[in-house]
Amino acid sequence: MVIETVISNITEMKSEEIEKRHVEKVYLESAHLVKRIQRVKTDHGREMGIHLKEARDLIAGDVLYMDDESLIVIDVIADDLLLISPRDFKEMGTIAHQLGNRHLPAQFEDHEMLVQYDYLVEELLQDLQIPYTRENRKVNQAFRHIGHSHG
């Protein structure tokens, strides 16, 4: 089976539509969410190819296949993350500037900045005394580098 389009996202479906179907999951690392072409296997051992026609990233909950009895849905494997919690605007600006200079992709949830774990970033946060925690957590979308050059 080759998947060429994402049907929907499970978050947009009615619960009764989900409950009446057997749900299989394709577990991906967050870095693989940006791949339009890949070979995957569901948690029930079904192999399939993904070859998206549309230029888009996959996100957690994307429905790859659906019939009257089953759904195949994308789920994301937890990443090793640093959850940065600046106490004020100055700390936020300082860490954003430092991470931006390193071209590190970040995501934001509530009042936290999420970056993939890096021991150098952890040392930087300790040196700057900016509060953070390290946690394994699922993200809904890939950490995406923003195209940029110092020209």
Side-chain angles (χ1 to χ4, degrees):
M1 174 184 328
V2 176
I3 305 301
E4 295 181 332
T5 59
V6 173
I7 296 169
S8 180
N9 193 285
I10 203 160
T11 60
E12 299 167 358
M13 295 176 65
K14 295 178 181 176
S15 60
E16 57 269 10
E17 289 296 311
I18 299 166
E19 291 167 2
K20 72 180 186 179
R21 292 179 168 89
H22 171 75
V23 179
E24 289 184 53
K25 292 187 177 181
V26 171
Y27 289 96
L28 296 178
E29 295 176 19
S30 64
H32 291 182
L33 294 172
V34 299
K35 293 173 135 185
R36 288 180 39 225
I37 302 171
Q38 57 187 308
R39 185 168 250 344
V40 299
K41 188 183 284 190
T42 71
D43 59 348
H44 289 71
R46 190 185 321 199
E47 291 191 31
M48 56 197 315
I50 298 174
H51 191 279
L52 298 180
K53 291 180 179 180
E54 182 183 355
R56 76 183 290 282
D57 292 349
L58 295 167
I59 60 172
D62 277 347
V63 177
L64 301 178
Y65 174 83
M66 180 171 61
D67 63 19
D68 291 339
E69 287 112 32
S70 64
L71 283 171
I72 298 177
V73 180
I74 293 290
D75 202 349
V76 182
I77 298 168
D79 279 302
D80 187 6
L81 301 176
L82 292 170
L83 285 60
I84 305 167
S85 305
R87 292 172 288 235
D88 57 32
F89 189 73
K90 182 178 181 201
E91 281 185 353
M92 182 59 172
T94 299
I95 196 59
H97 177 74
Q98 292 287 332
L99 297 177
N101 279 340
R102 291 171 170 81
H103 300 277
L104 288 179
Q107 294 184 25
F108 299 88
E109 290 183 7
D110 299 320
H111 299 290
E112 294 177 319
M113 175 188 280
L114 284 60
V115 296
Q116 291 175 308
Y117 178 78
D118 181 302
Y119 75 95
L120 293 172
V121 173
E122 186 174 37
E123 287 177 3
L124 175 66
L125 291 165
Q126 290 168 353
D127 290 346
L128 295 172
Q129 298 179 352
I130 295 176
Y132 74 94
T133 57
R134 183 176 174 185
E135 185 178 305
N136 280 323
R137 183 189 282 189
K138 291 182 181 186
V139 293
N140 290 329
Q141 55 192 354
F143 283 90
R144 182 71 98 173
H145 287 276
I146 296 172
H148 173 74
S149 65
H150 294 279

